[in-house]
Amino acid sequence: MRKLEKRPKQHHEPQTPEKPKAAANPFNKETRVPDAPKGLYLRNGSYRYKSMNNGKKVCINIGFVSLEEAITFANKRNLEQEAGIDLSKQHRQIKTTVKKAIGDFLERKRLGLRENSFQRYRAAFETFLYFIERKTPDMQLSKVTLDHLDEYVRRRLREPIIPTGKQSFRREQIGGVDEQTVAFEIVVIKALFKDALERELIDKNPAHHLKSIPKPDRDTLRSKHNPLEDDQIKDLLLAAQQLDEQLPPNSNAKLYDLFLFFIGTGMREDEVCMLEWSDIDFNRGLIKVDKKTVHEVRTAHLPRAHLSRLKKIAKDKSPDMPLFDSEQQIAKLGIKLFIRESDELRKLTAGCINWKSGIITSKTVHEWRPKGRQGAVPISAQIKSLLLRLHEQTHQRSNFVFAHHDGGRCRIKILDMLKRVQKMARIPGRLRLHDLRHTCAMALRRKKVPLETIMGILRHANIEETLIYAPYIDEEGAAAIIKLDDILVCSRKCDTR
């Protein structure tokens, strides 16, 4: 008998029923326009142009135009494609407005710039964008010409442009803004168009032939500085003490402490505001000025009305999710938080708020580096005693030496307060915060400190820069020339013999 072969068992998997396909929406259907040039399509009444160019798909939305205009557009693009023109590049240039190009440029520049430098870049671009938008709203970057840039520079030097549209100018601004400000804006504009040319957003750089403003010489720079004399320093510090007593009591840094530290160390504003206790070596008597990662923690109590509104926003959000979804949501909220910067507000998470105590905590990280050279600043006995007193007051609630009342870095409008103190002390002239750095240099020069030592304290790159801060004075020369008298008297005796 023949053996029957055993067949393998077949496993039948249950077949899932196919889902019924959704009915096609006739209004979303894209159809080719009959008897029209190649690449012309119609969708929901709007014309589009599609083609393949250099291996890339190009889709240009022509918009709600007439059939004749759409055919003209498609014929022009087909001729350009036959001539070897890159349509994808042309499409990018059409879509790139001045506003969009500035936003993209700032976003890429943000990581490589100091915070103060980034603010200067943004302020320069806001003024330039205000000028361009008044001429042509949503102007393409490729449409900006050298004439536009020349007119902008002329107007900045003669008629200051305020982005807010205010017409009331300060006395110093009536004749135009400072040349150094315009020179910086020209550098920023040139960087924007150079970057756009490298990214093929424009075919020609209109800023290439834009004339730069030459740097002022040493005498011109020196004439703008207003260092204080010894008696004026005492009047300024006394007025600062009086103003501290008049201001409402809070945990902010005292004006007397700030101005004494500025004059006693010659440090810049950004360096003072970012100064942490870890930067100070009390044993060696040095302050380290170097690039660092700054961790800033700020806390504040929220009113009940604010908490109820924020609870609605944070509802159904995990602690790690952003508290605000967009800047529009922040604007619609209608409340003022202790954080004014929109970037920091966007970083807040739902877990930053303690709903029971009503305390909101903001934690940010800054990659900071000094404007000038890195190095160490020596501290005198007066400054050391000031720092020891501040250490007892603030080191437990903040890592910053001159802390804000919320625990973050100093956020006082120091220049505005300096002007108030100057007025109280009856000090003439225009006094800037940077003049306190010049005051430190001139006070050292009057004490016959060598110029090389002053250069080291101020961390200048060369002696030429130090001469701007501490120039030669006639009294110094008169005191030095007397030392030649002994030699001259000796030579006279030799002649008489």
Side-chain angles (χ1 to χ4, degrees):
M1 295 179 64
R2 191 172 58 183
K3 294 182 179 180
L4 297 175
E5 295 180 355
K6 293 183 179 180
R7 296 181 179 178
K9 293 182 179 180
Q10 296 180 355
H11 298 279
H12 298 281
E13 296 181 358
Q15 296 181 354
T16 56
E18 295 182 358
K19 294 181 180 180
K21 294 182 180 180
N25 188 350
F27 295 99
N28 290 333
K29 189 176 180 181
E30 190 173 68
T31 57
R32 176 102 182 271
V33 180
D35 301 329
K38 184 179 71 172
L40 189 61
Y41 291 84
L42 181 65
R43 182 177 183 179
N44 296 341
S46 175
Y47 288 99
R48 294 185 176 190
Y49 176 79
K50 287 185 173 183
S51 70
M52 292 294 295
N53 184 260
N54 295 335
K56 298 178 182 179
K57 183 184 287 187
V58 179
C59 180
I60 303 176
N61 186 18
I62 304 173
F64 297 92
V65 296
S66 63
L67 178 60
E68 290 78 10
E69 291 176 329
I71 290 174
T72 304
F73 183 90
N75 281 328
K76 185 178 179 181
R77 293 294 171 268
N78 288 333
L79 289 173
E80 289 174 348
Q81 188 169 3
E82 291 175 3
I85 298 175
D86 190 353
L87 295 185
S88 59
K89 171 184 170 183
Q90 195 177 55
H91 183 45
R92 286 197 309 272
Q93 293 180 357
I94 293 172
K95 290 175 64 177
T96 303
T97 61
V98 177
K99 185 176 182 179
K100 185 178 184 303
I102 289 174
D104 295 343
F105 180 79
L106 285 175
E107 194 65 29
R108 293 193 311 278
K109 274 281 185 182
R110 190 182 193 102
L111 296 176
L113 291 174
R114 296 169 57 253
E115 186 177 357
N116 281 12
S117 300
F118 177 77
Q119 297 298 337
R120 290 185 68 195
Y121 267 73
R122 186 162 64 179
F125 280 133
E126 282 179 357
T127 312
F128 176 65
L129 184 62
Y130 177 75
F131 168 80
I132 292 294
E133 291 288 327
R134 287 185 64 184
K135 284 193 162 295
T136 307
D138 296 327
M139 179 185 283
Q140 297 175 12
L141 188 69
S142 57
K143 300 293 183 183
V144 179
T145 63
L146 179 61
D147 293 336
H148 290 127
L149 302 180
D150 284 335
E151 183 183 354
Y152 171 75
V153 172
R154 287 196 302 271
R155 291 196 61 181
R156 285 294 281 167
L157 292 171
R158 297 175 185 174
E159 312 171 11
I161 306 169
I162 307 274
T164 55
K166 294 181 180 178
Q167 297 298 323
S168 57
F169 303 130
R170 295 196 304 269
R171 184 177 59 193
E172 298 87 357
Q173 289 184 331
I174 292 176
V177 296
D178 190 72
E179 285 188 355
Q180 285 184 274
T181 303
V182 182
F184 173 75
E185 292 176 357
I186 291 174
V187 171
V188 169
I189 291 171
K190 284 188 172 185
L192 171 68
F193 283 97
K194 182 180 178 182
D195 178 75
L197 185 65
E198 292 174 355
R199 297 173 60 211
E200 297 184 343
L201 299 177
I202 54 177
D203 294 325
K204 187 179 179 181
N205 186 358
H208 181 70
H209 297 288
L210 182 63
K211 293 182 179 179
S212 301
I213 297 177
K215 290 184 178 181
D217 56 10
R218 189 192 304 170
D219 294 333
T220 305
L221 288 174
R222 194 181 299 157
S223 63
K224 297 179 181 180
H225 301 154
N226 187 21
L228 302 177
E229 300 292 336
D230 293 344
D231 56 341
Q232 291 178 330
I233 295 174
K234 295 177 181 179
D235 294 339
L236 183 80
L237 295 177
L238 181 61
Q241 282 182 324
Q242 296 173 356
L243 186 56
D244 281 331
E245 295 173 357
Q246 298 175 11
L247 294 174
N250 53 37
S251 302
N252 289 336
K254 300 298 181 183
L255 298 177
Y256 172 82
D257 298 339
L258 276 168
F259 296 148
L260 178 65
F261 190 82
F262 273 112
I263 297 173
T265 60
M267 294 175 65
R268 301 178 180 89
E269 179 185 8
D270 194 34
E271 296 168 352
V272 174
C273 292
M274 284 291 188
L275 184 63
E276 298 178 280
W277 291 115
S278 58
D279 299 328
I280 301 174
D281 188 346
F282 285 102
N283 295 327
R284 299 176 59 194
L286 295 175
I287 299 174
K288 183 178 67 174
V289 181
D290 199 353
K291 60 181 180 180
K292 58 183 178 179
T293 302
V294 180
H295 296 269
E296 184 178 16
V297 180
R298 304 169 65 188
T299 57
H301 289 271
L302 294 176
R304 291 183 179 179
H306 290 15
L307 283 173
S308 60
R309 293 186 183 181
L310 291 173
K311 274 185 179 180
K312 295 178 181 179
I313 295 176
K315 188 179 180 181
D316 300 330
K317 288 187 177 181
S318 63
D320 297 334
M321 292 180 65
L323 182 61
F324 300 107
D325 299 327
S326 62
E327 293 187 5
Q328 289 76 14
Q329 188 182 25
I330 298 172
K332 288 181 181 178
L333 187 62
I335 62 176
K336 288 185 177 180
L337 298 176
F338 71 110
I339 300 174
R340 296 290 183 264
E341 297 84 357
S342 60
D343 295 337
E344 291 190 26
L345 284 172
R346 292 291 301 275
K347 292 177 183 178
L348 289 176
T349 60
C352 291
I353 303 176
N354 188 329
W355 304 106
K356 292 183 179 180
S357 61
I359 296 177
I360 182 171
T361 304
S362 166
K363 297 180 180 180
T364 54
V365 179
H366 308 278
E367 294 296 332
W368 181 85
R369 67 174 183 267
K371 179 182 179 181
R373 289 180 62 191
Q374 304 169 4
V377 179
I379 54 179
S380 63
Q382 185 79 6
I383 299 300
K384 186 175 182 179
S385 63
L386 167 67
L387 292 174
L388 289 173
R389 175 169 56 83
L390 293 176
H391 188 264
E392 295 178 0
Q393 299 173 0
T394 64
H395 82 282
Q396 292 183 349
R397 66 180 180 89
S398 176
N399 57 319
F400 294 97
V401 176
F402 299 97
H404 200 56
H405 64 265
D406 58 13
R409 67 182 186 271
C410 181
R411 281 181 165 79
I412 301 174
K413 294 182 178 179
I414 307 177
L415 179 60
D416 295 342
M417 291 300 176
L418 178 63
K419 291 186 179 298
R420 289 181 62 179
V421 171
Q422 179 191 3
K423 188 175 181 181
M424 292 174 61
R426 298 180 180 180
I427 298 174
R430 180 190 175 199
L431 187 63
R432 308 165 304 160
L433 195 58
H434 199 70
D435 286 325
L436 301 184
R437 182 171 165 87
H438 289 263
T439 300
C440 174
M442 281 302 300
L444 292 172
R445 188 73 190 258
R446 286 194 294 268
K447 295 295 182 181
K448 301 180 181 179
V449 177
L451 201 61
E452 294 82 358
T453 306
I454 301 175
M455 181 183 74
I457 293 173
L458 299 183
R459 291 164 285 115
H460 285 158
N462 52 63
I463 204 76
E464 294 291 329
E465 189 177 0
T466 311
L467 281 170
I468 298 173
Y469 283 71
Y472 167 79
I473 51 180
D474 295 336
E475 292 80 2
E476 182 182 359
I481 202 70
I482 298 174
K483 297 179 181 180
L484 293 176
D485 286 344
D486 296 339
I487 302 174
L488 297 176
V489 170
C490 179
S491 63
R492 184 180 177 183
K493 290 179 179 178
C494 294
D495 292 340
T496 55
R497 290 177 185 174

